[in-house]
């Protein structure tokens, strides 16, 4: 028995295997039910009692060596697999996602850059405002619906409540209060209205509003400024038309339409068959508004306009559902990767 143990020990030490199947075969041959080590344990029963201690130790040593050998072979084969057959160096690399600008940022930047070329500078102001800068100074009568909780998010109540601005005209009021004349500014920013969220409305959206105040500014100047903008934004052939409208802070006021850039004015489902798309509101600054900010309305006049960035972006890229701008779905956002 001693020789058998010795012989098997030597063979175990010399054993080699090149894959997992061979290792499993070795394990069965040594430690399986009919394996060589198992057979020696059977034989051990016949060993005379006085020799049991000696052979018992040797046999256990043999079994441990067999198990250790199997583990060692498994480890070395595992390593070979991970360093050779599992790594395919010819595979293309994982693409690196660089991200892209949000369509709202792209559109806002484009609006800013168009007006910058005409000498407008960018002014920003607080999103949490008071009633005076959002409504009072802009000639909103006390009973105007915008002052209702249904339309505006109020933070506090009282005489001059704090609220979330509903338009960036509030920034224009702040500019009129402190900037020297003439003023030629655009005010981009987020605005808030208490609206139910749908494909066409959201409680948060973005505006760019503009203001020009100087001596002798006329409605014709406004029309020219807006036409230039429309042509830069929607193409050289873009035409505009103005429809009479009403805003408390401008008089006269107008709604501006641009000729539909999809059907070129013939009528399609985007322009609902009219050939025109509404893009902004505008008007001559009401003398009451100038006076409320300390500007002499007999000497100065001016015009203001305001547009929704989401709306301009929707028209430019034919986005049908406004909510897509806020969901951050990469499939939507990546469509704008090449836009700028
Ligand atoms: N402030 C108006 C709005 O939010 C837009 C506007 C600005 C209209 C300036 C006319 C002149 O709807």
């Amino acid at each position: 028995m001693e020789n058998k143990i010795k012989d098997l020990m030597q063979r175990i030490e010399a054993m080699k295997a090149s894959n997992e199947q061979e290792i499993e075969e070795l394990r069965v041959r040594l430690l399986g039910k009919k394996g060589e080590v198992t057979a020696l344990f059977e034989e051990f029963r016949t060993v005379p009692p006085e020799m049991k201690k000696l052979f018992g130790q040797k046999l256990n040593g043999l079994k441990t060596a067999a198990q250790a050998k199997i583990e060692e072979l498994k480890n070395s084969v595992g390593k070979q697999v991970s360093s050779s057959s599992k790594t395919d160096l010819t595979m293309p690399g994982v693409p690196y996602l660089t991200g892209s600008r949000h369509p709202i940022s792209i559109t806002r930047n484009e609006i800013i850059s168009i007006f910058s070329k005409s000498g407008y500078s960018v002014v920003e102001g607080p999103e949490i405002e008071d009633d005076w800068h959002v409504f009072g100074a802009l000639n909103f009568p006390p009973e105007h619906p915008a002052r209702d909780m249904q339309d505006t998010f109020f933070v506090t109540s009282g005489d001059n409540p704090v609220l979330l601005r509903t338009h960036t005209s509030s920034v224009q009021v702040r500019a009129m209060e402190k900037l020297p004349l003439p003023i030629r500014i655009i005010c981009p920013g987020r605005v808030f209205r208490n609206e139910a969220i749908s494909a066409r409305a959201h409680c948060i959206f973005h505006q760019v509003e503009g203001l020009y105040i100087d001596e002798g500014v006329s409605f014709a100047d406004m029309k020219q400024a807006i036409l230039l903008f429309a042509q830069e934004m929607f193409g050289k052939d873009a035409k505009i038309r103005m429809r009479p409208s009403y805003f408390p802070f401008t008089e006269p006021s107008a709604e501006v339409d641009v000729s539909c850039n999809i059907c070129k004015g013939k009528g399609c489902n985007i322009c609902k068959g009219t050939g025109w798309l509404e893009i902004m509101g505008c008007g001559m600054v009401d003398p009451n508004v100038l006076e409320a900010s300390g500007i002499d309305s007999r000497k100065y006049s001016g015009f203001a306009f305001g547009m929704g960035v989401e709306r301009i972006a929707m028209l430019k890229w034919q986005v049908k559902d406004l909510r897509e701008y806020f969901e951050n779905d990469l499939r939507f956002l990546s469509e704008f990767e090449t836009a700028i």
Side-chain angles (χ1 to χ4, degrees):
M1 179 142 194
E2 194 171 357
N3 283 345
K4 281 187 189 164
I5 295 176
K6 227 184 187 172
D7 169 59
L8 190 49
M9 191 64 130
Q10 279 173 358
R11 281 194 285 124
I12 287 175
E13 273 162 19
M15 274 175 181
K16 286 191 173 73
S18 52
N19 58 44
E20 287 181 19
Q21 197 188 336
E22 282 180 27
I23 297 173
E24 180 57 14
E25 279 168 17
L26 279 181
R27 193 192 63 77
V28 173
R29 215 163 80 202
L30 293 171
L31 300 163
K33 264 192 189 158
K34 292 180 183 158
E36 289 186 72
V37 178
T38 319
L40 281 175
F41 271 92
E42 292 288 326
E43 208 179 316
F44 178 67
R45 291 197 203 151
T46 61
V47 169
E50 67 275 15
M51 306 290 275
K52 277 218 152 83
K53 192 173 175 203
L54 176 72
F55 281 128
Q57 278 175 355
K58 292 200 172 185
L59 262 181
N60 278 333
L62 183 73
K63 190 177 176 186
T64 315
Q67 287 166 336
K69 185 73 189 182
I70 301 288
E71 277 312 301
E72 181 199 314
L73 289 173
K74 271 187 188 164
N75 282 343
S76 66
V77 167
K79 263 187 212 131
Q80 281 171 17
V81 168
S82 67
S83 63
S84 60
S85 58
K86 271 196 185 157
T87 309
D88 180 356
L89 296 176
T90 62
M91 264 172 64
V94 180
Y96 182 66
L97 289 177
T98 50
S100 56
R101 278 200 201 287
H102 193 281
I104 295 302
S105 305
I106 298 172
T107 312
R108 189 203 50 195
N109 292 350
E110 196 172 343
I111 298 170
I112 291 175
S113 103
I114 293 171
F115 282 105
S116 304
K117 282 189 234 164
S118 309
Y120 288 75
S121 46
V122 174
V123 176
E124 288 182 292
E127 292 178 351
I128 303 172
E129 260 291 5
D130 56 25
D131 186 281
W132 171 253
H133 288 93
V134 176
F135 301 129
L138 286 162
N139 205 31
F140 278 74
E143 70 282 1
H144 194 282
R147 288 185 144 154
D148 195 282
M149 283 178 41
Q150 301 291 314
D151 290 282
T152 301
F153 293 110
F154 285 87
V155 180
T156 66
S157 53
D159 263 1
N160 184 22
V162 175
L163 43 83
L164 301 185
R165 67 181 180 194
T166 58
H167 51 185
T168 57
S169 304
S170 52
V171 185
Q172 306 181 350
V173 174
R174 289 187 179 275
M176 285 189 283
E177 283 170 354
K178 57 174 194 278
L179 290 186
L181 292 161
I183 291 174
R184 204 198 287 254
I185 55 167
I186 43 168
C187 312
R190 268 197 302 193
V191 298
F192 309 85
R193 290 185 195 176
N194 194 357
E195 307 242 14
I197 297 171
S198 71
R200 298 178 63 89
H202 207 287
C203 55
I204 303 175
F205 59 99
H206 301 76
Q207 280 192 328
V208 177
E209 295 211 356
L211 175 70
Y212 175 38
I213 300 175
D214 202 348
E215 288 179 45
V217 176
S218 71
F219 199 98
D221 295 328
M222 175 171 78
K223 202 174 168 192
Q224 187 60 22
I226 293 175
L227 176 65
L228 275 177
F229 163 74
Q231 290 179 337
E232 289 261 343
M233 194 74 188
F234 297 102
K236 280 276 159 282
D237 305 327
K239 294 180 188 55
I240 59 165
R241 73 173 185 187
M242 288 180 166
R243 287 175 287 113
S245 185
Y246 172 77
F247 300 101
F249 36 90
T250 47
E251 183 60 37
S253 308
E255 216 81 65
V256 182
D257 295 342
V258 65
S259 50
C260 179
N261 57 341
I262 293 140
C263 62
K264 305 282 170 233
K266 285 192 198 80
C268 66
N269 62 346
I270 300 289
C271 61
K272 300 204 187 75
T274 63
W276 296 95
L277 300 159
E278 186 185 318
I279 53 165
M280 67 170 93
C282 67
M284 301 306 291
V285 182
D286 193 301
N288 286 345
V289 173
L290 297 174
E291 296 292 338
S293 298
I295 296 172
D296 183 354
S297 64
R298 279 161 306 175
K299 192 164 172 212
Y300 290 98
S301 59
F303 63 76
F305 55 86
M307 66 191 103
V309 180
E310 279 79 359
R311 170 132 186 102
I312 302 286
M314 275 175 120
L315 298 178
K316 214 171 151 64
W317 287 299
Q318 291 148 51
V319 177
K320 300 238 163 57
D321 192 329
L322 194 87
R323 288 167 292 196
E324 297 208 79
Y325 292 128
F326 300 93
E327 277 163 7
N328 282 336
D329 184 332
L330 285 179
R331 288 168 299 182
F332 172 73
L333 295 179
S334 61
E335 287 181 38
F336 303 91
E337 257 164 22
T338 51
I340 235 175

